[in-house]
């Protein structure tokens, strides 16, 4: 079923929303609807725009001149870039956009995943009085790119594991042989995400020892199989919920702060 613009939304003074496909459930709409109600933010509404093809993006813009900001999710975080006028430094470095700022006639792309992950990771390390050592990133998608950007910024060395490794990446066989070298393990894959909650990355969990930290970007369920297996070894674990809240608040800040772009394309 093709998405059709709801003309009633044109009467909302400040319209925000999420583009992606499909959008069966959305953290963002619930989060911002509750935020608007809780903080008494007037004349604002957050909607879902499940456009089945990124080529329909200009149609969305034409339908709703009252748009004040958009979030971007799978599969359009990279496909959206040619439609934007410029990119913030983090979005340019990561190569993925999850926030669009409307600045006059200009559309500027940002990546608030970077902010959300950085603040969440730093609190995780601080809570456990940990110096991270060498990190292992599981997965190579857009979320992994944001994680790489943050680790580079924080000067934390890292390796990347993939089921189909490219140059410079590790196979899971190599991970199994060297798991003790990576005290910080970050899952950026969707393994363990609802509804397939029984799945998890292929790791030798029985070899994990004190000093290992497990961070899962998945937030639904709140305790993934990856995390449960870490807990069974007595290890600190953290999910992606704090990152999610952090990136959402950063998006709101971006939409409501005058800012100049720092990287063009």
């Amino acid at each position: 079923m093709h998405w059709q613009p709801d003309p009633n939304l044109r009467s909302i003074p400040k319209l925000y929303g999420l583009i992606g496909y499909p959008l069966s459930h959305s953290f963002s709409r619930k989060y911002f609807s509750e935020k608007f109600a809780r903080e008494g933010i007037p004349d604002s509404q957050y909607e879902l725009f499940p456009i089945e093809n990124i080529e329909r993006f200009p149609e969305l813009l034409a339908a709703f001149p009252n748009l004040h900001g958009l979030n971007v999710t799978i599969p359009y975080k990279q496909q959206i870039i040619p439609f934007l006028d410029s990119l913030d430094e983090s979005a340019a470095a990561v190569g993925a956009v999850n926030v669009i700022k409307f600045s006059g006639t200009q559309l500027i792309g940002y990546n608030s995943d970077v902010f959300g992950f950085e603040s969440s990771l730093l609190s995780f390390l601080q809570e456990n009085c940990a110096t991270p050592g060498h990190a292992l990133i599981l997965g190579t998608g857009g979320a992994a790119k944001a994680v790489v950007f943050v680790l580079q910024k924080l000067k934390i060395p890292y390796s990347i594991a993939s089921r189909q490794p490219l140059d410079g990446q590790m196979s899971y066989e190599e991970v199994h042989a060297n798991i003790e070298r990576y005290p910080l393990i970050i899952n950026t894959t969707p393994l363990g995400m609802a509804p397939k909650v029984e799945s998890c990355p292929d790791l030798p969990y029985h070899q994990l020892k004190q000093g290992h930290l497990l961070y899962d970007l998945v937030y639904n369920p709140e305790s993934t199989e990856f995390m449960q297996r870490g807990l069974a070894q007595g290890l600190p674990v953290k999910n992606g919920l704090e990152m999610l809240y952090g990136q959402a608040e950063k998006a709101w800040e971006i939409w409501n702060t005058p800012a100049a772009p720092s990287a063009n394309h």
Side-chain angles (χ1 to χ4, degrees):
M1 182 174 170
H2 295 317
W3 167 77
Q4 291 296 331
D6 178 356
N8 294 322
L9 294 178
R10 294 185 188 124
S11 64
I12 307 297
K14 294 182 179 180
L15 183 63
Y16 302 88
L18 173 71
I19 63 168
Y21 193 81
L23 294 177
S24 54
H25 61 86
S26 166
F27 160 86
S28 297
R29 179 162 64 176
K30 181 174 185 289
Y31 182 84
F32 282 108
S33 297
E34 291 176 352
K35 178 182 177 67
F36 295 160
R38 183 178 64 250
E39 299 181 18
I41 296 170
D43 306 325
S44 299
Q45 189 167 319
Y46 193 102
E47 285 297 321
L48 303 183
F49 301 110
I51 54 177
E52 69 276 7
N53 189 308
I54 195 62
E55 300 299 326
R56 294 195 67 183
F57 181 64
E59 180 187 334
L60 175 70
L61 298 180
F64 301 112
N66 52 330
L67 276 168
H68 276 60
L70 286 169
N71 289 123
V72 185
T73 190
I74 295 170
Y76 300 140
K77 288 188 179 186
Q78 292 168 299
Q79 294 181 36
I80 191 65
I81 291 174
F83 294 88
L84 306 178
D85 296 295
S86 58
L87 300 179
D88 172 73
E89 180 186 13
S90 62
V94 173
V97 165
N98 74 322
V99 179
I100 300 173
K101 179 180 179 66
F102 288 65
S103 181
T105 59
Q106 300 288 296
L107 298 180
I108 308 169
Y110 291 78
N111 191 304
S112 69
D113 287 337
V114 165
F115 173 85
F117 176 67
E118 180 179 356
S119 58
S120 177
L121 176 65
L122 287 174
S123 68
F124 185 41
L125 296 174
Q126 187 175 10
E127 288 160 12
N128 293 285
C129 302
T131 51
H134 201 108
L136 177 65
I137 302 169
L138 309 177
T140 59
K145 292 178 180 178
V147 168
V148 165
F149 179 84
V150 170
L151 294 183
Q152 288 175 340
K153 179 183 175 185
L154 298 177
K155 295 182 169 54
I156 297 172
Y158 64 89
S159 298
I160 299 172
S162 172
R163 285 177 296 180
Q164 297 176 310
L166 302 173
D167 287 348
Q169 296 174 357
M170 300 173 63
S171 68
Y172 276 85
E173 288 77 12
E174 291 174 279
V175 170
H176 275 252
N178 299 285
I179 194 68
E180 72 283 350
R181 297 182 186 175
Y182 307 104
L184 174 61
I185 304 175
I186 303 166
N187 177 42
T188 75
T189 78
L191 291 169
M193 183 185 295
K196 298 180 180 178
V197 297
E198 71 287 344
S199 62
C200 64
D202 176 20
L203 297 176
Y205 293 94
H206 63 284
Q207 294 182 31
L208 300 179
K209 296 182 173 65
Q210 186 174 4
H212 274 108
L213 302 168
L214 273 59
Y215 187 111
D216 199 336
L217 267 65
V218 173
Y219 61 90
N220 181 22
E222 288 192 21
S223 185
T224 61
E225 181 67 18
F226 170 75
M227 294 166 62
Q228 289 289 345
R229 294 194 181 197
L231 288 169
Q233 298 295 113
L235 303 175
V237 300
K238 187 163 192 168
N239 69 14
L241 202 55
E242 187 179 75
M243 172 182 172
L244 198 65
Y245 286 119
Q247 67 84 15
E249 280 303 313
K250 188 65 174 181
W252 181 249
E253 179 186 317
I254 288 166
W255 293 331
N256 290 281
T257 304
S262 55
N264 294 317
H265 72 285

